[in-house]
């Protein structure tokens, strides 16, 4: 009897162990399935959100500034740095004609035109569109009349790149969700596609940068075993001149950046502060290499007013012109920091003109945006005006000869860029581009804007 009870107890023990083991397994697998479910849900959500712009490209060209040539507007849709809440999907270079609409000239699926630094990757003149395919390090030319494309220049040593994460995003457009999951698990798709990375890579060890375009020439910089500045024939690609890129002035001062405007070449030069000039945390900046000011030179001579420096932000393009913010040298802020910014502006044109523009108009600080037909366009905001309606941001224009100013529009958005030829006016906000015409009064002065098309 005792033996039978013992075996019965063993059987009961086995059953309890089995039941307990099953319960443990059920809980463990339940947790695992929950984790898998959460991961799958996250992947599904990410895939739906991140690929939506690629699967459903927007109809508009976005809000990055383009180029106005012969009353036709050219823009790279989906280029630039993303702003909050915006997902950029590089589409390509479009041509827009008011009243006729837009057409795609260069597709990003065919040519890997750099989307982040598009200022250096494409341009246009009256007869051709030029763009650099960074995957093959090739400068292409497209005839604007026939739309035929031809390889204009490719430096020696350039090699095709490996596929970047932005290319994989293009492949994801054609995959369903489960195919994406499978390819991620097998490694066919790199994990970087889940980070939204869009790094641009250059072919081999060579980088080609488009610096400037005139009617007859194309200026490029080639970075590889040797840094070269070249001028090419704009129709044939023949190398007209080639010389090593200058990284220092004859006096040994570092050249931080070179600007090419028409036939003008300007250099931003790093200059040491005078001995004894100090400000808050200057020792740390000196240790980190930030103890300096910037001069702007043309043909080796400074073009800034005496006792001033070029702003930390450098020069920026207002259409075909270069705008430079400058201020007093060795100036301190109220907090005791070095004032690296500026108060006034220089306007430099391809025709060789240099205009000095005040940074304050009628007691209000302004920011200049572009110039055309003898007028400089600017925006500002009168924060202290007692009238709420007049505290709104405004758009104005200043006559470059007489200094007369006119109000064009108020209110306007506070952050935008302008491309204009004096007749057509494109307002680029970063997310959309609106097309206007400039109204003129009987004396030919600009007096307002008329909207032609919103979010082109």
């Amino acid at each position: 009897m005792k033996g039978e009870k013992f075996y019965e107890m063993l059987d009961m023990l086995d059953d309890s162990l089995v039941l307990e083991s099953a319960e443990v397994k059920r809980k463990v697998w339940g947790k695992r399935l929950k984790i898998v479910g959460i991961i799958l849900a996250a992947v599904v959500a990410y895939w739906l959100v991140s690929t939506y712009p690629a699967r459903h490209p927007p109809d508009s060209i976005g809000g990055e500034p383009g180029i106005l040539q012969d009353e036709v507007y050219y823009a790279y849709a989906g280029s630039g740095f993303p702003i909050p809440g915006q997902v950029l999907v590089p589409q390509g270079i479009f041509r827009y004609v008011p009243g006729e609409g837009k057409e795609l000239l260069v597709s990003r699926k065919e040519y890997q035109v750099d989307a982040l630094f598009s200022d250096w990757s494409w341009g246009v003149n009256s007869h051709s569109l030029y763009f650099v395919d960074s995957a093959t390090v090739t400068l292409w030319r497209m005839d604007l009349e026939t739309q035929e494309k031809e390889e204009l220049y490719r430096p020696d040593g350039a090699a095709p790149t490996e596929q970047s994460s932005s290319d994989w995003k293009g492949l994801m457009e054609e995959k369903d969700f489960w195919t994406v999951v499978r390819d991620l698990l097998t490694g066919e798709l790199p994990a970087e596609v889940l980070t939204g990375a869009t790094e641009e890579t250059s072919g081999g060890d060579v980088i080609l940068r488009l610096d400037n375009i005139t009617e007859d020439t194309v200026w490029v910089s080639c970075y590889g075993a040797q840094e070269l500045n070249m001028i090419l024939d704009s129709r044939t690609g023949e190398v007209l001149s080639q010389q090593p890129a200058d990284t220092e002035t004859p006096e040994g001062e570092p050249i931080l950046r070179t600007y090419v405007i028409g036939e003008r070449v300007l250099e931003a030069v790093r200059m040491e502060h005078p001995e004894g000039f100090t400000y808050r945390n200057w020792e740390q900046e000196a240790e980190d290499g930030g103890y300096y000011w910037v001069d702007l030179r043309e043909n080796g001579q400074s073009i800034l007013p005496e006792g001033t420096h070029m702003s930390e932000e450098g020069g920026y393009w207002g259409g075909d012109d270069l705008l430079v913010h400058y201020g007093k040298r060795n100036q301190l802020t109220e907090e005791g920091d070095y004032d690296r910014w500026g108060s006034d502006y220089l306007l430099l044109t391809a025709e060789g003109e240099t205009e000095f523009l005040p940074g304050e108009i009628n007691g209000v600080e302004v920011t200049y945006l572009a110039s055309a037909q003898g007028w400089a366009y600017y925006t500002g905001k009168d924060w202290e005006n007692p009238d709420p309606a007049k505290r709104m941001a405004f758009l104005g224009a200043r006559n470059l000869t007489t200094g007369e100013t006119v109000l064009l529009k108020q209110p306007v958005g506070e952050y935008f860029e302008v491309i204009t030829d004096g007749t057509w006016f494109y307002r680029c906000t970063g997310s959309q581009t609106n097309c206007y015409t400039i109204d003129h009064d009987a004396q030919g002065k600009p007096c307002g804007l008329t909207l032609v098309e919103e979010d082109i």
Side-chain angles (χ1 to χ4, degrees), residues 122-137:
W122 72 280
V124 67
N125 58 20
S126 67
H127 57 81
S128 301
L129 170 69
Y130 304 87
F131 59 94
V132 175
D133 181 356
S134 60
T136 59
V137 198

Side-chain angles (χ1 to χ4, degrees), residues 264-267 296-303 348 352 354:
R264 304 178 70 180
V265 179
L266 299 106
E267 298 171 334
L296 184 64
R297 298 181 183 178
E298 184 174 14
N299 299 322
Q301 300 296 318
S302 176
I303 61 173
L348 307 161
T354 300

Side-chain angles (χ1 to χ4, degrees), residues 374-451:
W375 291 85
Y377 295 86
Y378 59 84
T379 184
K381 188 171 183 178
D382 188 355
W383 295 91
E384 300 180 0
N385 197 302
D387 185 347
K390 294 183 179 180
R391 281 201 298 268
M392 306 295 286
F394 61 85
L395 175 69
R398 182 179 189 272
N399 189 288
L400 295 176
T401 302
T402 67
E404 178 186 5
T405 61
V406 295
L407 178 66
L408 297 181
K409 186 176 176 61
Q410 188 179 32
V412 294
E414 294 186 34
Y415 304 102
F416 59 92
E417 296 180 68
V418 164
I419 304 296
T420 183
D421 59 1
T423 301
W424 297 100
F425 188 97
Y426 290 84
R427 179 173 174 268
C428 309
T429 66
S431 59
Q432 72 176 46
T433 298
N434 297 339
C435 174
Y436 302 82
T437 55
I438 299 177
D439 304 327
H440 295 83
D441 62 15
Q443 289 74 42
K445 296 186 294 186
C447 58
L449 301 176
T450 296
L451 179 64

